[in-house]
């Protein structure tokens, strides 16, 4: 029954796999089969983005498991579920522990552990650690498709240190990257290019950068932020008519956005 569930799972026949796993969880008293069934159950919950259930299953597994390999894999999924639920400090602790235990995980998971570890540190404002961890991870896993996320984090760390020119170079690398150039991370990076110019009071360059967010990307959060900031730049330049045009565009295209009241 377990092997059939495993086959269904690998074939992405999740409903059939779930039915078999449910039976196993109710009926089996074989510890190894029960452990593997709980783990598979948690994986299927992850694929449905049911992160509270992932947390419950993986915590149960950690309480009953004495297999180091399964324990490490369950720790990874627990850490991921905590990250997705914004329990960042707890997730950071687990990911940091897993950095030294990657030999117990599948090789394709190693770069993900490094990325999540760096992302947690960023959310905790530990920018020195982000700088070191992302540089190390990008060099260690050069073929990782999500390396543009590390590049973005490096840009943010440099920006926090006041190294705005270097930060802009990192953000520009994200926007130009093959893997990340059309992602929301690229939209954020282009917006931050505008922000770095704004902080240097180079309002014309900031406006050009913000316009690119609106024209190149489809993510409303960053488009609205870019239009609003471009309007503020026009105000700094004394271009009141242009500022009004931008605020009117914002209210027309995104009347419910977070900047609507300010635009009015």
């Amino acid at each position: 029954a377990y092997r059939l569930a495993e086959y269904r799972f690998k074939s992405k026949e999740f409903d059939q796999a779930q039915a078999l796993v449910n039976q196993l969880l109710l009926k089996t008293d074989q510890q190894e089969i029960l452990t593997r069934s709980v783990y598979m159950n948690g994986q299927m919950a992850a694929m449905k983005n049911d992160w509270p259930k992932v947390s419950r299953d993986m915590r149960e597994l950690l309480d009953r498991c004495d297999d180091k390999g399964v324990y490490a894999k369950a720790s990874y999924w627990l850490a991921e579920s905590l990250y997705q639920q914004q329990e960042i400090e707890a997730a950071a602790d687990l990911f940091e522990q897993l950095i030294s235990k990657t030999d117990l995980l599948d090789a394709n998971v190693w770069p993900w552990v490094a990325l999540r570890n760096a992302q947690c540190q960023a959310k905790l404002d530990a920018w020195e650690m982000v700088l070191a961890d992302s540089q190390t991870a990008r060099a260690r896993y050069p073929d990782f498709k999500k390396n543009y996320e590390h590049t973005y984090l490096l840009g943010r760390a440099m920006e926090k240190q006041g190294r705005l020119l270097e930060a802009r170079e990192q953000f520009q690398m994200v926007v130009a990257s093959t893997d990340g150039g059309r992602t929301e991370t690229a939209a954020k990076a282009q917006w931050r290019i505008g922000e770095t110019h704004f902080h240097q009071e180079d309002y014309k360059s900031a406006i050009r950068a913000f316009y690119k967010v609106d024209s190149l990307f489809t993510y409303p959060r960053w488009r609205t932020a870019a239009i609003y900031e471009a309007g503020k730049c026009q105000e700094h330049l004394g271009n009141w008519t242009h500022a009004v045009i931008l605020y009117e565009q914002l209210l027309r295209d995104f009347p419910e956005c977070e900047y609507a009241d300010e635009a009015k």
Side-chain angles (χ1 to χ4, degrees):
Y2 172 77
R3 289 300 182 199
L4 182 57
E6 186 178 49
Y7 171 78
R8 296 296 189 195
F9 177 76
K10 290 180 179 178
S11 301
K12 298 184 179 180
E13 300 173 21
F14 298 124
D15 288 342
Q16 296 93 322
Q18 188 71 67
L20 286 162
V21 167
N22 288 343
Q23 291 182 52
L24 286 164
L25 292 173
L26 287 172
K27 296 180 180 180
T28 188
D29 58 359
Q30 296 180 51
Q31 187 60 40
E32 182 182 0
I33 296 297
L34 188 58
T35 294
R36 292 179 180 275
S37 297
V38 172
Y39 180 67
M40 192 186 303
N41 203 41
Q43 285 184 296
M44 287 189 284
M47 291 181 177
K48 298 174 183 176
N49 293 323
D50 187 351
W51 298 110
K53 187 175 189 308
V54 176
S55 294
R56 290 193 299 271
D57 286 344
M58 296 307 165
R59 288 186 194 279
E60 178 186 344
L61 198 54
L62 293 175
D63 288 340
R64 70 164 71 235
C65 181
D66 57 5
D67 182 311
K68 289 184 179 180
V70 175
Y71 192 94
K73 291 176 182 178
S75 296
Y76 168 75
W77 281 110
L78 176 57
E80 179 68 17
S81 70
L82 294 171
Y83 177 83
Q84 295 293 341
Q85 295 173 87
Q86 296 301 307
E87 296 182 39
I88 302 302
E89 290 188 11
D93 288 342
L94 280 171
F95 282 122
E96 192 170 0
Q97 293 174 38
L98 286 167
I99 288 287
S100 62
K101 300 176 183 176
T102 50
D103 58 310
L104 298 173
L105 298 168
D106 296 332
N108 64 317
V109 177
W110 299 353
W112 278 104
V113 172
L115 175 59
R116 287 290 190 251
N117 182 58
Q119 288 173 325
C120 285
Q121 299 307 325
K123 288 178 181 289
L124 295 172
D125 287 328
W127 294 107
E128 289 289 345
M129 293 184 67
V130 172
L131 197 62
D133 292 346
S134 282
Q135 285 175 332
T136 299
R138 199 169 61 174
R140 184 173 294 168
Y141 309 112
D143 299 324
F144 183 42
K145 295 293 186 182
K146 294 281 188 177
N147 268 338
Y148 63 86
E149 297 283 1
H150 283 299
T151 304
Y152 176 77
L153 291 174
L154 288 171
R156 289 288 290 128
M158 293 171 183
E159 186 182 7
K160 288 288 186 177
Q161 294 177 340
R163 298 157 58 187
L164 299 183
L165 179 59
E166 293 172 86
R168 257 196 314 272
E169 290 173 352
Q170 297 297 320
F171 296 142
Q172 287 164 348
M173 286 170 60
V174 175
V175 176
S177 69
T178 301
D179 294 316
R182 306 306 302 169
T183 64
E184 186 173 4
T185 300
K188 287 193 292 183
Q190 183 62 48
W191 187 78
R192 296 227 69 89
I193 290 171
E195 284 290 284
T196 58
H197 285 301
F198 184 90
H199 291 312
Q200 292 178 311
E201 300 182 0
D202 182 358
Y203 300 119
K204 290 183 179 179
S205 295
I207 289 168
R208 287 194 292 270
F210 289 135
Y211 281 173
K212 285 183 179 180
V213 179
D214 184 40
S215 62
L216 296 178
F217 299 97
T218 59
Y219 303 98
R221 178 182 178 186
W222 302 107
R223 287 182 64 198
T224 55
I227 295 168
Y228 177 72
E229 290 296 330
K232 297 299 289 183
C233 289
Q234 295 288 11
E235 286 192 54
H236 279 289
L237 293 170
N239 297 330
W240 310 109
T241 301
H242 291 297
V244 168
I245 289 170
L246 287 164
Y247 296 143
E248 287 178 339
Q249 176 191 346
L250 190 64
L251 292 169
R252 182 182 65 251
D253 296 344
F254 306 97
E256 303 299 324
C257 77
E258 63 180 296
Y259 304 100
D261 288 343
E262 289 291 334
K264 288 175 185 178

